[in-house]
Structure formats: structure tokens, C-alpha cells
Amino acid sequence: MPPRTPDPRRNPSRGGRPADDGSAPARSGRGGIFEAQAYTPRGRSVREQARSRTSGQAAETTEPAPPTLRVVDGGRADEPRTPRQPAARSGAAGGRTGTAAGAAKKAAAPARSRAPRAQTGAATKAGGAATKAGGAAPKARSTATNARGTADNRSTAAKGRATAPRPPLRRKPRAQLKLADSNRRLRLGAFLALAMFAGIGIRLITLQVMPTPAYANGGLQDRLRSVTLFASRGGIYDRSGVPLTHSVEARYVYADPTLIENPAEAAAKLSPLLGVARSDLEKRMAKRKLPTGVQSTFAWLARGVPIDKANQVMALNIKGIGTEYDERREIPGADLAANLIGITGEDLTGLEGLEARYDDVLRGTNGKHLFEFGNDAAYTPIPNGYSEIQEAKPGSSLTLTIDRDLQYEFQRSLSENVQARKGTVGAAIAIDIKTGEVLAQASQPTFNAADWEDYPAVDREDAATSFVVDPGSVHKAIIFGAGLEEGVINKNTVWPVPSTIDKADTTYRDTHPAGGKKMTMAGALAYSSNVTTIKIADKLGPQKVYDYQLKFGLGKPTGEGMPGEASGRVLPPAEWNGTSPGSIPIGHSVDVTPLQMAAVYAAIANDGKWIQPHLIKDTVAPDGSRVAPPAPETRQVISPQHAADLRYLMEAVTTIPDATGVNGRIKGYRVAGKTGTGLRVVDGKYAAGEVASFIGMAPAEAPRYVVAVFAFTPSGGGGDVAGPAFREMMQYTLQHYRVPPSTKSAPKYTAFP
């Protein structure tokens, strides 16, 4: 086969005329089938065969092989052209042939072959070999014929030119561009298609299976409903863990005004069950807009509704009326310690008493349930819909120092004794002298905390901390204690005591006048001698009297734990007037509360050490852990010995046959105490009537408890009014705590030696 010439389409030149420099004629640039020539089976065109026959054997040996037909995709001339070598380089071959072809080659030297130099040389050599062989082999003859045809064509193109041969142009071969691999394209296309389908599949799974907030949240706000998860309010328990008040499960009833068709009819049906006025329910169910301009879909109708009542409400099947979980405050004892515990509002917020004082401890923190609901009146949550829950945190509970049994007995006895003497206000306190714990704190009047709305506000007050009085003669224990501590008197002191004493324009008298006789200090307390007390205060001086009042805790709240505790008031010496040296020592012009005076006597019973009275034993967290409150404040007011001497003197009050406190005697126990008759202070003025009081401790030889009783009655001394109530309360206290009876008899006292 003759060697193939380069693809004619690879020539980048354009146009169909011969080049001016003698090179091969430029193609039309159309390429492909338009440049193809018809070839015979032996590789030559018909025209070339005819020319070969007329030219003779010489022309046949000088023509180069014609290009073969190549048709490729696109018909572009993208193969680089290789400069054709001048025909003169094949002169040796022409010389060897000895024919006219050699001269033709020299004349056509400037003509350039389309074939590469190596191919042209091969064709020339093939032509020479064919001449020598005389047409030996067909293959060699075919090669020579092709070479001659090529040389002939170049010679013809160069005829008529009288120019000298020009050196061939040497061009740098261009890099051949490779055609795309179809298999590679198929693989790349398949990969891209698979990647596209995989992406679509993953996205579909994400939208259908995985959470898609970006789309699911569209319009979500219109389908969300928020329900408050109410935190359970902590309870209040007595010292033994018995509940005084606690929260129980209940229901609240609400309305959706947008769904109620007939508010008047709905209100008429609900009013008897909820205990709310019909007109009030109608107002609550009326349609209204929120500040945002949106129609309100919620209105409270009732809180803390018992479960059975809530079931009856739902049985009415009123569209737009619903119930949800709620709590209500349960008070098992009704009025038991009600004045201490206080009350809560409709939303279980503390309003009075300990409920208000420790509201932040008891209340806890409400939670919230935000969920997606369906298109129904019941706001049914959508299964697997949006749901967010903030758990409620229950409140802590309080354990009080109050003893439930003791509290009940104190309330019963106080109420009976005050009402029997037509009294209006009373208070009774029991204190453990070693710890300062308040074991009972009763008030008269009292109320049922479960129905507190039915009682006036004055009935809900805690008298022990809000009942401000002039203490009267129970204040004398402070003056006698200060006199012992300052050395003004001792337990055996005997003074001549006149029947009266004047201060400024006021005369002070004794109810049991000594008539100038000598009187013991025990007798002075037993008969509540005003004159003796004033004489001791004169020796102390105003400043000492004032200092000991403060040391014993007067003039400021005790900090027991009750909210709104009154501070009382004592006058500094600078504010004393002419009668103050006579009135203040005997307990007038002094404002105190029953609790403050009970703490004074507890200090005397506790060897002169004052301990802050308190109601809170500990706080119980929701997890059951207990936290004790800060330690109570303490201070030594008088020495233990002088405190014992003072108890010795006060025991005469219940021992001397006609003493003021004989009604406070308790069989089997020695009792030390003091009676008093004072005045009630209302808005800075004295109210009509008298405040009878009795404060005592038992057993006197080794006191354990102090009981204080105050009663505001139209008239009557402390011994007559408060004495019997004190006896009942103290006796029950000693027996309740199983205090052994006294083993020694009380001392023998002499009032007038």
C-alpha cells in the first residue's frame, strides 16, 4: 500500500488558489468530502492513469503517491501541515534513472510536496528503484507511480516561473488535538445522572421523614396553643409533719369567647356549679380583642374547682367551655392556726400570713406546654405535631414549730374565756424557753381559712404580733430584773412602802396598800405594788430603764416570721415627761405586742438569756431535703443567778394566798408568773376597756415552757380574766409534753415581815 499523506482537512490555510510562494495550492477550507478525489482500486485517480499512459514511463516514475481519502468527524483541517521538501533533494534518485524525470524535478524544485520529507524521499527512491527494475514488482511500480504523480503536479504548478528555487519553510509542528473518548463521555454522563437522582432522593427523604422546620413552621403559629403547667405549691406542716395546709388536685374552668354561641344561656347554667354570679360570668365570656388586635380565645371562669364539679360542668356540653388541671388550697383544720397560715388568692398567690411572707418559697415556678392542635373545639394535640414542654418546678414546703394539738387546745381555751367575759380580742402564746420555738400562737377572733372571703379582715389578723397594748403590770418584771442586775435590790430586800407616790401632777396608788409598812420584794410582786416598782425605777434612772427595755426586746419586731409584725414603742429618756417616771415602770406609755412580752418572760425562765422567738423549723425542698433557717438571735440580758432570784420572787404571785395570780396555780406544778392590767392602743389612742394579761412559766424550779395570755375585755384584771385561761393552757402543755410534776414545794413567802 502507498503511504498515506496527511489529512488534507488538517491544513489550517483557507482559499482555493495556489500560494504565491510556490508551495502547494491552498484548499477551499470546506474540507471533508469536498476535498476527496476518486481513486481506483490501485490507489490512483482515473485522470492520473490517463496522464501516465500519455507521458510514458518517465513521468510515471516521478509522480508522488496521491493522498488517500479520509473522512473524519466535522471535516476540520486540524492536522498540522508538514513542509514539503524540494524536489531537488531527490536528484540522486533522478540521476540514477537517467530519464527526463530528473530534469522535471529540477525545474519543479520550488514545488513543495504535501507529504512529509521522509515520505517524499521514500517516494523518489521508490521511483528510481522501479526504473532500474523495469517494472519489476507491482508494489514498487505503484509506489513509483504515486511519486511521479506528485512530482508532476508540483512541476506543473511551477511552470512559467523563472525564479530560483526557494528554501522550504520550516514550521513548528502543532500539537495534535485528541478527539473525545465516547466511553468516557458515557461514564461521565451516567455519573452525573446518578448524582442528580441521588440528590433528589435525599431531598425527598428529608422533606417526608426528617424534621423540616423551614416548611413545617409555615403557618405554625396559627396552630399553636400554650397551656400553663402550674407548679405545685408547697404545703405548711406542723412540727410533726401533719399538714396544716397543702395543695390538692382540682380543675380550672375556662371559656373560649369566640366559640360560645349564647353567653347568657351558658352563664345561667354555669353559675350554680361554679358559685360565680351570672352577670360576672357573662362579662368574662364576652368577645373581646387583645391589644394586638386578635380576638381573645381564653378567659378564666373559675379556679380550684373540685373535680366532681368540673365533671358536672363538662357534662353540660357547652361549646367553648373547657376544664384543665389545677390545684386548690386544702386546709384540713379549717380555722386551726388560720391566723398564722394566712390565705392565698385565686391563683394560689399568698395574700396574708405565712402564705404571703414565704410566698416565693412556697409558690414554685410554673411551666408551659406549647403544642400544635387540630381543627376542633377541644384543641386536641396533633400526634407527632409540634410540642414543647417546659416542666413546672414545685415549690418548697415549710415545717413550723407549731404543735397542732397544742394549737388546737390554745385556740379553744382562748375563745371560750374571751367570749365568756365578752371580750373582743385575745392572744395566747407558748414558747419552748430552751430553743425559742413557738409551740402555739392562738388568736381570737379567728376564721375558716377555706372560706376566708366570708370574714372581715380584722378577724384574719394575728393578735400575737399585731395586738398593740400597754402591758400594764407584766412590765414590772423588767424593772425588778434590772434592779437585781444593777444591785438596787436583791431577793431579800425589804422596803417601807407608802400607799401612794406622786410624779408631777399624777398620784400613783397600790391596789393592796402597805400603808407605810415594810414590804418584801416577793410581796411587792405578789400584790403588784406600783409604789415599790416606781421606787426601784427611780434608783435605776431613766436611761437604765430604757436600756433594759431594749435588752429584753421591746421597741422592735422580734422577727418571728409573721409578716407585718408590729414593733411597739418605748420612749427614750429625752422624750420622757413629768409623769413618765411613774407610768413607764408600771407598764404604761409603753407599746408592746403579746409576743414581745412572752419573749421577755422566756428570757427570765432561760437563766436571763433572750432567744429570738421563731415559727419556722425548716424548709423542705421538692426532693425532700431539709434546710434549717438561720440560727435565732440570742443575748444575755441578766445573769443566771439574778434570773433565778427573779423567778423566786415571781413564784410568790401564785403562792401567797391572796396574791393577784392565784388563779394561775396548777396542781402538782410550781408556777412563777405575773398578772397585768393594761390598755389597748388603737391609732395612737387608748381604746375603751382593759387588757388583762397573765404570763407564767413552769415548773418554776426548772422552767420548760412559757405561756402568755392577753385578752381585751370591757373590764377585769389579769388574774380574774387571763388567770383561768393561763392555767388551762399551761396544764395541757405540761401534760402534753409529759413534764414531771414538781418534787419540791414552793417557798414560804412573807409579804409584810
Side-chain angles (χ1 to χ4, degrees):
M1 288 289 293
R4 297 179 62 185
T5 60
D7 189 354
R9 292 171 301 166
R10 302 298 183 180
N11 188 356
S13 61
R14 295 293 183 263
R17 294 181 303 171
D20 294 338
D21 58 357
S23 62
R27 295 176 295 166
S28 65
R30 298 173 65 182
I33 195 65
F34 302 102
E35 296 291 345
Q37 296 182 10
Y39 287 89
T40 63
R42 300 187 64 177
R44 291 181 298 167
S45 65
V46 176
R47 187 178 58 181
E48 287 174 333
Q49 291 179 4
R51 186 184 304 155
S52 176
R53 285 192 299 266
T54 57
S55 317
Q57 186 66 31
E60 186 176 329
T61 59
T62 61
E63 291 181 359
T68 58
L69 175 63
R70 292 184 64 193
V71 180
V72 296
D73 183 29
R76 293 178 300 132
D78 52 358
E79 281 194 5
R81 293 182 57 191
T82 303
R84 186 176 301 277
Q85 298 296 332
R89 298 189 61 176
S90 60
R96 284 194 298 269
T97 58
T99 62
K105 287 180 181 180
K106 292 180 180 180
R112 301 175 60 188
S113 173
R114 290 175 183 250
R117 182 169 44 191
Q119 293 177 357
T120 305
T124 305
K125 290 178 182 180
T131 303
K132 290 179 180 181
K139 181 176 181 180
R141 187 167 46 250
S142 176
T143 305
T145 301
N146 291 337
R148 282 195 303 272
T150 302
D152 183 64
N153 291 337
R154 301 303 182 198
S155 304
T156 304
K159 285 182 182 180
R161 292 186 181 181
T163 58
R166 298 176 62 184
L169 296 177
R170 296 183 179 273
R171 297 182 181 179
K172 184 179 181 180
R174 297 184 180 180
Q176 296 184 0
L177 297 177
K178 294 183 180 181
L179 296 177
D181 188 348
S182 60
N183 291 332
R184 185 178 181 184
R185 286 200 304 269
L186 288 174
R187 288 195 298 270
L188 180 60
F191 174 77
L192 293 176
L194 289 175
M196 179 181 67
F197 283 112
I200 294 174
I202 292 173
R203 186 58 177 163
L204 288 176
I205 293 174
T206 302
L207 293 175
Q208 297 297 327
V209 178
M210 303 299 290
T212 53
Y215 298 98
N217 287 344
L220 180 62
Q221 297 300 323
D222 296 334
R223 302 190 305 274
L224 289 182
R225 184 175 185 231
S226 178
V227 175
T228 300
L229 303 179
F230 295 99
S232 179
R233 187 176 179 85
I236 300 178
Y237 301 87
D238 85 331
R239 65 186 300 108
S240 301
V242 178
L244 298 175
T245 180
H246 61 106
S247 294
V248 297
E249 182 178 352
R251 298 289 184 268
Y252 68 81
V253 181
Y254 68 91
D256 184 345
T258 63
L259 300 178
I260 296 178
E261 298 173 352
N262 192 334
E265 181 181 350
K269 293 179 180 180
L270 294 173
S271 181
L273 293 175
L274 301 181
V276 182
R278 177 177 174 178
S279 58
D280 191 12
L281 290 176
E282 270 193 77
K283 291 179 182 178
R284 298 185 188 186
M285 290 186 287
K287 291 181 174 61
R288 67 183 184 279
K289 288 187 177 181
L290 299 174
T292 58
V294 179
Q295 286 287 340
S296 173
T297 59
F298 184 88
W300 295 105
L301 297 185
R303 294 288 306 274
V305 178
I307 296 177
D308 58 338
K309 291 286 186 183
N311 292 336
Q312 295 179 36
V313 169
M314 294 307 296
L316 296 175
N317 198 25
I318 302 174
K319 186 177 181 181
I321 302 297
T323 63
E324 288 289 349
Y325 177 88
D326 197 10
E327 290 184 347
R328 64 184 178 89
R329 213 61 171 158
E330 183 77 16
I331 299 99
D335 64 346
L336 184 66
N339 301 75
L340 289 177
I341 295 169
I343 60 175
T344 58
E346 191 178 50
D347 58 351
L348 297 187
T349 299
L351 301 179
E352 294 176 5
L354 295 175
E355 292 274 25
R357 172 65 177 77
Y358 295 96
D359 182 66
D360 57 337
V361 175
L362 297 167
R363 184 175 59 236
T365 304
N366 290 337
K368 183 175 67 173
H369 183 196
L370 188 64
F371 62 90
E372 189 176 1
F373 63 90
N375 187 20
D376 59 358
Y379 298 104
T380 305
I382 297 176
N384 297 324
Y386 181 86
S387 179
E388 180 183 353
I389 297 177
Q390 295 179 2
E391 296 291 345
K393 297 180 180 179
S396 299
S397 298
L398 295 177
T399 301
L400 305 185
T401 59
I402 296 295
D403 186 311
R404 182 187 63 166
D405 295 336
L406 201 65
Q407 180 72 23
Y408 174 81
E409 186 62 25
F410 272 50
Q411 286 188 207
R412 182 200 62 78
S413 179
L414 180 66
S415 177
E416 291 179 358
N417 282 277
V418 171
Q419 290 180 11
R421 290 162 177 82
K422 298 180 180 180
T424 55
V425 181
I429 304 106
I431 297 178
D432 186 330
I433 64 171
K434 297 299 182 182
T435 63
E437 293 179 344
V438 178
L439 304 175
Q441 188 164 305
S443 296
Q444 176 61 30
T446 187
F447 69 102
N448 184 351
D451 298 315
W452 60 269
E453 298 93 339
D454 299 334
Y455 296 84
V458 67
D459 289 357
R460 303 195 300 266
E461 294 179 355
D462 174 55
T465 56
S466 64
F467 187 28
V468 180
V469 301
D470 269 12
S473 294
V474 291
H475 183 269
K476 292 175 182 177
I478 296 176
I479 303 302
F480 275 76
L484 290 169
E485 186 71 15
E486 296 297 325
V488 174
I489 60 171
N490 60 55
K491 69 175 184 178
N492 298 316
T493 298
V494 177
W495 281 353
V497 178
S499 299
T500 62
I501 188 171
D502 293 332
K503 294 296 178 182
D505 57 351
T506 302
T507 300
Y508 297 90
R509 295 179 172 83
D510 284 341
T511 55
H512 296 75
K517 297 179 183 180
K518 290 184 178 180
M519 181 178 285
T520 62
M521 296 298 104
L525 279 177
Y527 293 125
S528 193
S529 173
N530 293 330
V531 175
T532 304
T533 305
I534 293 172
K535 288 179 66 176
I536 295 173
D538 286 343
K539 291 182 178 293
L540 289 170
Q543 188 62 48
K544 290 291 184 182
V545 172
Y546 177 71
D547 290 343
Y548 276 93
Q549 286 178 323
L550 297 181
K551 287 181 181 180
F552 274 107
L554 304 187
K556 65 179 182 180
T558 64
E560 176 199 37
M562 288 298 294
E565 180 184 2
S567 62
R569 186 169 184 265
V570 293
L571 295 176
E575 296 182 16
W576 284 29
N577 57 27
T579 60
S580 293
S583 61
I584 289 177
I586 62 175
H588 296 287
S589 299
V590 180
D591 297 342
V592 299
T593 64
L595 180 63
Q596 287 174 330
M597 291 308 303
V600 170
Y601 280 71
I604 297 170
N606 191 34
D607 291 334
K609 185 178 182 179
W610 185 88
I611 299 179
Q612 179 186 22
H614 52 280
L615 282 169
I616 307 302
K617 186 175 183 179
D618 56 40
T619 301
V620 183
D623 60 0
S625 60
R626 295 177 177 270
V627 180
E633 179 186 350
T634 62
R635 59 178 173 270
Q636 195 72 36
V637 181
I638 59 177
S639 68
Q641 181 59 51
H642 292 139
D645 292 343
L646 184 55
R647 292 195 300 270
Y648 168 83
L649 298 178
M650 289 195 300
E651 192 173 357
V653 175
T654 61
T655 303
I656 295 178
D658 55 349
T660 59
V662 292
N663 287 335
R665 292 176 183 174
I666 300 174
K667 185 178 181 179
Y669 296 92
R670 293 167 57 182
V671 177
K674 186 68 184 77
T675 60
T677 303
L679 300 172
R680 183 183 183 186
V681 180
V682 179
D683 297 331
K685 298 179 181 180
Y686 292 124
E690 294 178 325
V691 177
S693 59
F694 193 111
I695 307 176
M697 60 199 71
E701 69 277 17
R704 291 281 304 278
Y705 306 102
V706 163
V707 172
V709 180
F710 286 75
F712 180 56
T713 62
S715 62
D720 296 333
V721 176
F726 165 84
R727 181 178 65 246
E728 291 179 6
M729 296 177 191
M730 178 60 83
Q731 184 174 5
Y732 182 86
T733 302
L734 295 172
Q735 293 175 350
H736 179 68
Y737 292 111
R738 297 176 180 170
V739 178
S742 300
T743 57
K744 295 181 180 180
S745 299
K748 299 298 182 178
Y749 296 98
T750 300
F752 302 100

